[in-house]
Amino acid sequence: MNDIRSKRIRQADIATAAGVSVSTVSRVLTNEPGISETIRQHIFKVASDLGYPLKTAAETTSGGLALIASDSVTGGLSVFYEGILEGLRAGAAERGMRFDIRLIREARTEPEVVKEHLQAAGAEGLFLVGIDPSDELRRWLETSGTPVVLVNGTDPKLRFDGVSPSNFFGAYSATRRLIDAGHRRILHLAGSHRQTIRERIRGFEAAIASMEGADGRLVPMTFAGSSSQEAHDKTAAILAEKGGFTAAFCMNDFIAVGVLDAVAEAGLRVPEDFAIVGFDDLPCALMTNPRLATMRVDRAALGREAIGLMIARFRDRDAPARHICHGVQPIAGGTLPPET
């Protein structure tokens, strides 16, 4: 220790003392995302103990503002966004970022309105939570150089940083769970209102294409995606057609609840006659009988990751945009036979 303290401390010295790679130390000291909080705190402690000059996050981090679509957080999907907000708040507190949250109708996300919100909050960085920027807003964000992170959102041209669940891969996995259980005629109830949901549709279609003889049918949802009643009515109509569909993958658990109700009313046994897989692992998945099989999204992790992306963007405004995709976890439930 004395030998190290007698010279200028380098990141390589921190890496040796912490038992990690130099690249990991570099990523932590520049506040890049993708490092576990345990490793991050360990490296900061080792660096401090060695006398490495550390700036506090409060000294280096500009403020951030999260704009959240009001129809998402005040409707059926509110619990989903509560988890994301929890992660955003916790991540901002840990990094010393000044942080504010405001509700906004997505139709009101014009550049002038967004600019006013940023100025009122004294924020430099913008988190768009559950909001896909319009062409007008996108152009203003790019022209103004405003640091922006899409949270639970995806830019198909990767012009902005973003973090989301693995929508394509999660949907592929969910559909394969039904295929692996022996089902070949599968419904997918989904909207098309957001890029993230369209990625789930592509995942469903890819899984159907991966199995010879499988037949998938997209059932469009007209609402934003949390209408159990619409899901119930459309499923009941399809079952009345006696078209031979024996399973459904639903874009979220609220829709899966409606499907389950329709299947039960049709006198079908679950999962013997009809199997269902949802998405998100929301509290309602625990309340159904039987419990829904679903795909778990770590919503708080999305929020924390978004904070890391913003801090990295503050430090390097010209770096290429990055999108971080979080894997989703299959959750067993009685709407799907036991999986091997």
Side-chain angles (χ1 to χ4, degrees):
M1 183 70 73
N2 289 335
D3 290 340
I4 293 179
R5 287 189 181 277
S6 66
K7 63 181 181 179
R8 183 172 178 268
I9 303 302
R10 302 169 304 157
Q11 291 186 6
D13 300 321
I14 299 171
T16 299
V20 298
S21 68
V22 175
S23 64
T24 299
V25 171
S26 176
R27 291 173 64 194
V28 167
L29 296 181
T30 55
N31 279 303
E32 289 192 24
I35 303 290
S36 77
E37 197 57 33
T38 300
I39 300 249
R40 189 181 299 278
Q41 293 303 322
H42 172 59
I43 289 174
F44 276 133
K45 183 179 185 306
V46 171
S48 178
D49 289 345
L50 292 177
Y52 188 86
L54 293 171
K55 291 183 179 181
T56 66
E59 293 173 328
T60 59
T61 303
S62 304
L65 170 67
L67 291 182
I68 305 175
S70 57
D71 53 344
S72 295
V73 298
T74 58
L77 290 172
S78 60
V79 66
F80 182 90
Y81 284 98
E82 285 171 8
I84 291 177
L85 287 179
E86 175 188 336
L88 282 166
R89 288 193 182 99
E94 290 164 1
R95 305 293 186 85
M97 176 188 286
R98 290 182 293 103
F99 182 71
D100 197 3
I101 300 169
R102 302 197 177 189
L103 293 177
I104 188 171
R105 288 188 297 111
E106 192 159 0
R108 287 281 292 152
T109 54
E110 301 101 341
E112 284 305 312
V113 174
V114 171
K115 184 178 179 180
E116 289 173 5
H117 278 298
L118 285 167
Q119 291 174 340
E124 188 174 359
L126 177 66
F127 299 92
L128 292 177
V129 185
I131 296 174
D132 294 330
S134 65
D135 289 340
E136 183 185 16
L137 179 58
R138 174 187 55 76
R139 286 191 294 269
W140 177 77
L141 291 170
E142 289 184 296
T143 301
S144 65
T146 302
V148 59
V149 175
L150 305 181
V151 189
N152 192 41
T154 303
D155 179 10
K157 293 186 178 180
L158 199 57
R159 292 159 291 195
F160 306 115
D161 296 320
V163 58
S164 70
S166 54
N167 291 296
F168 176 90
F169 298 107
Y172 183 94
S173 175
T175 307
R176 283 296 321 193
R177 292 172 73 185
L178 294 166
I179 291 173
D180 293 344
H183 297 277
R184 295 296 180 269
R185 303 207 69 202
I186 303 171
L187 304 172
H188 179 41
L189 287 82
S192 60
H193 55 294
R194 297 204 60 217
Q195 178 66 24
T196 52
I197 301 306
R198 293 192 287 273
E199 289 176 359
R200 292 184 191 179
I201 293 174
R202 289 195 291 272
F204 168 75
E205 292 172 342
I208 293 296
S210 73
M211 173 56 67
E212 185 177 354
D215 178 21
R217 175 173 170 181
L218 176 64
V219 183
M221 302 293 292
T222 58
F223 186 56
S226 60
S227 175
S228 292
Q229 186 61 51
E230 183 183 4
H232 167 278
D233 295 346
K234 290 193 171 184
T235 303
I238 291 170
L239 293 176
E241 296 172 0
K242 300 190 182 301
F245 289 96
T246 63
F249 162 49
C250 305
M251 64 174 273
N252 65 39
D253 295 331
F254 291 114
I255 289 178
V257 169
V259 172
L260 180 59
D261 287 344
V263 170
E265 289 176 8
L268 299 175
R269 299 170 301 164
V270 176
E272 293 85 355
D273 302 323
F274 200 97
I276 304 167
V277 175
F279 208 99
D280 294 336
D281 194 28
L282 300 176
C284 64
L286 289 168
M287 302 176 190
T288 60
N289 184 22
R291 188 216 195 280
L292 279 176
T294 186
M295 307 295 290
R296 176 172 294 163
V297 174
D298 190 339
R299 300 181 288 279
L302 297 181
R304 288 177 183 270
E305 200 77 74
I307 296 294
L309 278 170
M310 183 63 78
I311 290 175
R313 178 57 54 191
F314 283 153
R315 294 178 181 276
D316 188 350
R317 304 299 178 94
D318 298 323
R322 291 186 293 170
H323 186 88
I324 295 177
C325 184
H326 269 247
V328 296
Q329 177 185 0
I331 301 298
T335 60
L336 187 68
E339 301 166 82
T340 57

